[in-house]
Amino acid sequence: MTNASSEEQSTVVGSALHLPVLGRLGGTVLDIVVGGLARLVDVPMRTLQRLIGERRMAYVFLLPNFAFFSLFVFAPLVINVVFSVTGGEALFLSDRPYVGAGQYRYLFDCGSYLDPASCREDHFWRGVANTLRFTAFQLVAMVAFSLTTAVVLNMRIRARGFFRAVYFFPVLLSPVVVALVWKWILQRDGLLNAGLTTLGGHKILYFVDPGWAMFWSVFVSVWAHMGFYTLILLAGLQAIPADLYEAAQMDATPRWRVFRRITLPLLWPSLVVVIVLALIRGVQTFDEVFVLTGGGPGTSTLMIVQYIYETAFASQVQNFGLAAAASVALGVVLFVLTLLQLAATRRRSAS
Amino acid sequence: MMRRTRWSPTLALLAGSLVAAFGGGAPVTWGADAQTTLRMTWYSDGNEGEVIADLLKRFEESNKDIHVALDQVPFKAINETLPVQLASGQGPDIARVGDMGGLARYMLDLRPYLKDAAYWEANYGPFLQWMRVPGDTTSIPGFMTQLTITGPFVNKTLFEQAGVTMPGAKATWEDWASATKEVAAKVQVPFPIAFDRSGHRFFGLAISQGATVFNPKGEPAVVDDGFRRAAQLIYDWHNGGVMSKELWGVVAGAAYRGANEEFKNAQVVMYESGSWQIGQFDKTIGTDFDWVAVPTPCGPANCSGMPGGAALVGIKSTKHPAEVARVLDYLASEDVVAEFYARSLFVPGHIGLARRGLDYKGASPAAKAALKVFSDSVAQLAPAANQLQGYPASRVIFNAVISRIGQAVSGEIALDEAYKRIASDVAQQIAERGK
């Protein structure tokens, strides 16, 4: 190190600077700075450890991150709950009157929870019903397509790398871009209708028919995100030991049986991750569907998050209290869903 | 040879950045010349963004102490983002707004700072009430950058190609519906009539059918016989092929949906929109086909459209009210505002100019004729139309109507159910505002 320094000095004096020397010089300076800082922190940390004990030091290290989470996650959560028991259109809490459970009473005032039309705030319940429908369809389609794709991409096929990249590419796009591209394809004079009319068919108004609108919402969502889930499953497939398949091959086990008895059970942890993530994504869906269908026709693709956004921001009387109450309700549903999901996973793992 | 670093410009730049970063909206001072920076939030329907930028440049040349930073945003941001900004006290110094009544409480009363408040009263007086909070009869928050009137644009070429005679003045909505349907069938276009998915457009029709919107006490009483007649027409036109569900039926909530593109592509026979479209149609349609603006069709009650517009207003939270007033005084002065209206092809929201008439020098004959039709229709406005435009919670009514009629059009709910929901939506939101 000392020798190198003398070399560096002579080079610098000669004013012929070149990068390796600069790099080493920078490294040395960095070593000194970091080392100095470490020594500076070391003394108080050792003292603290002596005072509170080694095991409690873990909490000290967790504290900065916890403070960060509290500020940006827990505090907004609490503020949201407080907003949900207030009314009016003011933004600052100090200007908002306390209304108790008024917003919740309004949201949950229903003749029958299975019939949104019987509810006082029918848009909220239509959003709930649509979100559940969308999530169910999307979950099934996402798991089926990403699993099939992962299994195929795990085989020794030609241009495997190319296909993996192609399937992953849509994940890199912004949801708004994805929705706009598909909107251009699906609109009255879009690519799809141009193709249909060229083949002698009639134009289909995809965004006017509720069934088609929901179908394309699910399709676009699966198209855009399938690559991500495929990647998770592909990693899971590659982690399955090859000798298990070799043994099955030697026993002349049929392919379907191999898939059922070896692939699926060993892939289960990855599948659970995919199911949980797809479920959460389904419930959170907003941007893609909002840009693609605007929640229509009527309210047939209005998702719960769009309802919350419009109640809080798009209406003239910005009803932050009602939107906050709907957010809390959504949070509770998500929490319950997650608990159910976890319970199911544990039971499966135990069995 | 080694380059010597010149530290003085770097340090000056650093100091400048620090002042800019920590100074916020405060005036930035460079030596002896103190300059105040004002932020103006602006949206455009056509070319008026370029025109205002040009006018502001001229203002700054003769007012070196003021710099106006023009933030051009989409109309959606004006309706959804700006109100939240204003509620949090973080808004701009000046903003161009459409929902005047809804944002009135954030507006600055310019009177103490104006050179000649009487000029403003005399020329912008009738519209100032749209920008005032209920009970206030004296404040001057800003001026109308455009007065808009709803009304129909017609593709004259399609009528000629179909060999159908265009209904004349005082024709009814039903006359137009049957004529446009005949044209569309003959020339194979998908939209006989297209209405923007907008509360203003709906109430243009509803008031002509006799809707009064308010009870004698001035409280909203939205669903009456006139309203029902208009809603039934919209509903029947959708089911009868006069209107396509692609505008009113396809989106949820209060989302605006226009048919500009469809009209420009000659797919619409009659397009019920508003005077602000003239500038862009003049520019984009050019000689592709002949288009005309026609007087608003009549209903059993009258031939009224709906007034509207956009105002440029000062914002109460500004730290520079005097400078804001100077900018607005300049832009609202007769010569400057006349140039603005003339270059943007807008109906003037200035009484003196409206009386004298404007010379739209750069406009085509079609645009000039359309401006004349819309300007003349100001005299046809029914009292209910003006009352609704001036009502501070008008957007509550507009949003409820679009949302619920849209659901009925898409077949999700029955019209009677829509009427009940409109009444309850309006009542709920107004009660929420009252808390």
Side-chain angles (χ1 to χ4, degrees):
Chain A
M1 196 133 175
T2 323
N3 291 342
S5 295
S6 61
E7 266 178 45
E8 281 152 14
Q9 276 172 6
S10 63
T11 320
V12 172
V13 169
S15 80
L17 292 172
H18 54 87
L19 288 171
V21 175
L22 267 181
R24 265 177 302 185
L25 187 64
T28 312
V29 171
L30 199 69
D31 284 348
I32 293 166
V33 172
V34 173
L37 278 175
R39 273 193 291 281
L40 209 69
V41 176
D42 191 48
V43 178
M45 289 307 258
R46 275 175 191 279
T47 316
L48 193 64
Q49 190 173 322
R50 257 201 308 277
L51 285 172
I52 64 170
E54 199 173 320
R55 287 188 65 186
R56 288 199 188 106
M57 279 304 283
Y59 298 104
V60 173
F61 288 110
L62 281 176
L63 207 62
N65 230 340
F66 185 75
F68 194 76
F69 268 84
S70 301
L71 192 63
F72 293 104
V73 178
F74 302 130
L77 207 87
V78 172
I79 291 169
N80 186 67
V81 174
V82 177
F83 256 84
S84 74
V85 291
T86 60
E89 58 175 341
L91 188 65
F92 294 112
L93 265 176
S94 53
D95 299 331
R96 296 181 63 80
Y98 175 74
V99 295
Q103 306 285 14
Y104 293 97
R105 269 199 297 274
Y106 180 73
L107 270 188
F108 287 90
D109 185 1
C110 275
S112 157
Y113 291 120
L114 296 176
D115 176 19
S118 72
C119 300
R120 212 165 149 205
E121 186 60 345
D122 62 324
H123 278 170
F124 171 73
W125 290 99
R126 286 178 196 277
V128 170
N130 291 335
T131 305
L132 290 177
R133 201 177 309 137
F134 174 88
T135 306
F137 290 145
Q138 187 234 211
L139 184 67
V140 172
M142 192 74 87
V143 171
F145 285 111
S146 50
L147 180 61
T148 311
T149 313
V151 168
V152 174
L153 289 178
N154 197 38
M155 292 173 178
R156 286 199 190 91
I157 56 169
R158 208 173 277 178
R160 191 166 62 165
F162 168 76
F163 284 114
R164 283 179 183 177
V166 165
Y167 280 99
F168 189 73
F169 182 69
V171 180
L172 304 175
L173 300 175
S174 141
V176 174
V177 172
V178 168
L180 282 175
V181 168
W182 278 99
K183 204 171 175 176
W184 290 328
I185 294 171
L186 298 168
Q187 64 196 10
R188 175 193 280 275
D189 295 317
L191 274 179
L192 198 57
N193 273 334
L196 276 178
T197 47
T198 310
L199 296 170
H202 293 289
K203 286 180 179 174
I204 299 172
L205 302 180
Y206 299 103
F207 299 126
V208 166
D209 181 83
W212 275 118
M214 181 55 91
F215 169 81
W216 284 113
S217 301
V218 173
F219 176 90
V220 171
S221 179
V222 172
W223 181 87
H225 303 284
M226 202 183 83
F228 175 66
Y229 300 105
T230 302
L231 201 72
I232 296 173
L233 293 176
L234 199 56
L237 284 171
Q238 287 175 355
I240 299 173
D243 51 355
L244 292 175
Y245 290 109
E246 283 162 14
Q249 205 177 6
M250 284 163 75
D251 292 342
T253 317
R255 277 189 174 185
W256 171 240
R257 201 176 163 81
V258 171
F259 182 74
R260 253 178 6 108
R261 291 298 168 91
I262 299 174
T263 310
L264 263 188
L266 292 175
L267 194 62
W268 183 246
S270 306
L271 263 176
V272 169
V273 170
V274 165
I275 290 168
V276 172
L277 291 181
L279 192 72
I280 292 169
R281 232 207 81 76
V283 178
Q284 287 178 333
T285 291
F286 169 54
D287 35 17
E288 269 156 21
V289 179
F290 182 62
V291 175
L292 190 72
T293 67
T299 55
S300 60
T301 55
L302 174 85
M303 300 294 157
I304 187 72
V305 183
Q306 183 182 342
Y307 167 82
I308 292 168
Y309 159 72
E310 289 191 342
T311 304
F313 303 111
S315 54
Q316 189 188 37
V317 176
Q318 295 178 319
N319 202 336
F320 300 118
L322 193 62
S327 303
V328 171
L330 176 68
V332 170
V333 171
L334 273 175
F335 185 67
V336 171
L337 273 177
T338 312
L339 287 182
L340 284 175
Q341 188 71 44
L342 282 173
T345 316
R346 280 200 195 112
R347 204 173 303 136
R348 176 89 193 197
S349 304
S351 67
Chain B
M1 208 174 93
M2 243 173 83
R3 269 186 164 183
R4 290 189 62 195
T5 310
R6 295 184 64 194
W7 285 101
S8 43
T10 314
L11 284 175
L13 196 67
L14 187 68
S17 307
L18 285 172
V19 170
F22 294 104
V28 178
T29 310
W30 299 99
D33 301 325
Q35 194 184 48
T36 303
T37 296
L38 301 176
R39 298 216 78 86
M40 182 190 284
T41 301
W42 183 271
Y43 79 92
S44 294
D45 288 318
N47 69 335
E48 69 269 35
E50 297 159 31
V51 180
I52 197 80
D54 200 16
L55 295 174
L56 286 173
K57 206 170 137 194
R58 240 185 279 163
F59 169 80
E60 286 174 355
E61 277 164 14
S62 50
N63 294 271
K64 301 274 185 208
D65 58 328
I66 298 178
H67 167 61
V68 184
L70 189 65
D71 300 321
Q72 301 219 38
V73 298
F75 182 60
K76 198 175 169 65
I78 293 286
N79 274 341
E80 294 177 17
T81 314
L82 183 66
V84 182
Q85 267 186 299
L86 295 176
S88 66
Q90 299 296 312
D93 300 284
I94 303 168
R96 187 185 196 211
V97 298
D99 178 15
M100 290 165 256
L103 300 177
R105 66 208 142 122
Y106 303 116
M107 293 178 191
L108 171 73
D109 183 5
L110 299 166
R111 274 176 309 163
Y113 312 102
L114 293 175
K115 264 193 254 168
D116 180 9
Y119 161 81
W120 285 68
E121 281 287 358
N123 291 295
Y124 298 108
F127 314 112
L128 291 174
Q129 199 51 47
W130 297 355
M131 308 171 207
R132 291 170 178 156
V133 290
D136 169 17
T137 53
T138 55
S139 71
I140 301 181
F143 71 97
M144 298 298 285
T145 54
Q146 64 182 139
L147 177 66
T148 62
I149 307 288
T150 61
F153 294 90
V154 177
N155 187 324
K156 200 175 154 201
T157 303
L158 291 180
F159 266 94
E160 285 163 3
Q161 283 172 355
V164 175
T165 311
M166 207 187 286
K170 302 282 176 191
T172 63
W173 281 104
E174 287 86 345
D175 295 335
W176 277 99
S178 69
T180 52
K181 198 177 172 193
E182 193 184 343
V183 171
K186 283 188 174 163
V187 295
Q188 291 292 298
V189 295
F191 301 93
I193 292 182
F195 264 58
D196 288 331
R197 194 181 192 268
S198 140
H200 272 90
R201 249 58 84 225
F202 176 81
F203 276 100
L205 170 70
I207 287 167
S208 79
Q209 300 297 315
T212 54
V213 197
F214 300 97
N215 64 20
K217 286 185 204 162
E219 294 158 345
V222 181
V223 182
D224 58 12
D225 288 344
F227 182 95
R228 283 196 186 88
R229 271 194 293 274
Q232 191 68 52
L233 273 179
I234 294 277
Y235 185 79
D236 292 344
W237 286 344
H238 277 97
N239 290 326
V242 175
M243 287 176 81
S244 166
K245 289 182 181 177
E246 280 172 88
L247 295 174
W248 277 71
V250 292
V251 286
Y256 171 85
R257 186 58 66 99
N260 319 36
E261 292 305 316
E262 288 81 357
F263 187 74
K264 283 186 252 178
N265 292 332
Q267 293 192 309
V268 181
V269 184
M270 182 196 217
Y271 177 29
E272 172 70 2
S273 191
S275 51
W276 67 96
Q277 304 275 22
I278 296 171
Q280 60 160 304
F281 286 165
D282 192 33
K283 196 173 165 187
T284 54
I285 296 173
T287 54
D288 292 351
F289 58 83
D290 291 335
W291 60 274
V292 289
V294 296
T296 300
C298 302
N302 52 54
C303 313
S304 175
M306 262 298 290
L312 191 63
V313 298
I315 301 298
K316 209 187 269 179
S317 59
T318 181
K319 292 188 178 79
H320 314 288
E323 286 81 359
V324 165
R326 263 171 67 196
V327 174
L328 292 177
D329 242 340
Y330 168 80
L331 293 172
S333 62
E334 194 160 318
D335 292 347
V336 176
V337 83
E339 183 184 337
F340 176 81
Y341 294 139
R343 286 173 62 187
S344 312
L345 305 188
F346 285 154
V347 175
H350 180 287
I351 301 299
L353 291 171
R355 275 199 201 115
R356 273 191 294 285
L358 262 179
D359 182 11
Y360 296 97
K361 277 180 194 153
S364 68
K368 278 185 182 170
L371 281 158
K372 170 93 175 64
V373 169
F374 279 108
S375 302
D376 290 349
S377 69
V378 175
Q380 300 282 329
L381 290 174
N386 283 316
Q387 193 184 358
L388 177 56
Q389 173 58 26
Y391 183 58
S394 57
R395 266 190 73 216
V396 165
I397 298 173
F398 294 149
N399 290 353
V401 168
I402 301 163
S403 167
R404 298 304 182 176
I405 301 286
Q407 278 182 279
V409 161
S410 70
E412 201 165 84
I413 57 175
L415 262 184
D416 282 341
E417 176 65 16
Y419 299 149
K420 279 185 218 152
R421 293 284 183 185
I422 288 166
S424 68
D425 288 353
V426 171
Q428 191 267 337
Q429 289 221 43
I430 287 178
E432 195 65 37
R433 171 164 277 187
K435 279 177 186 167

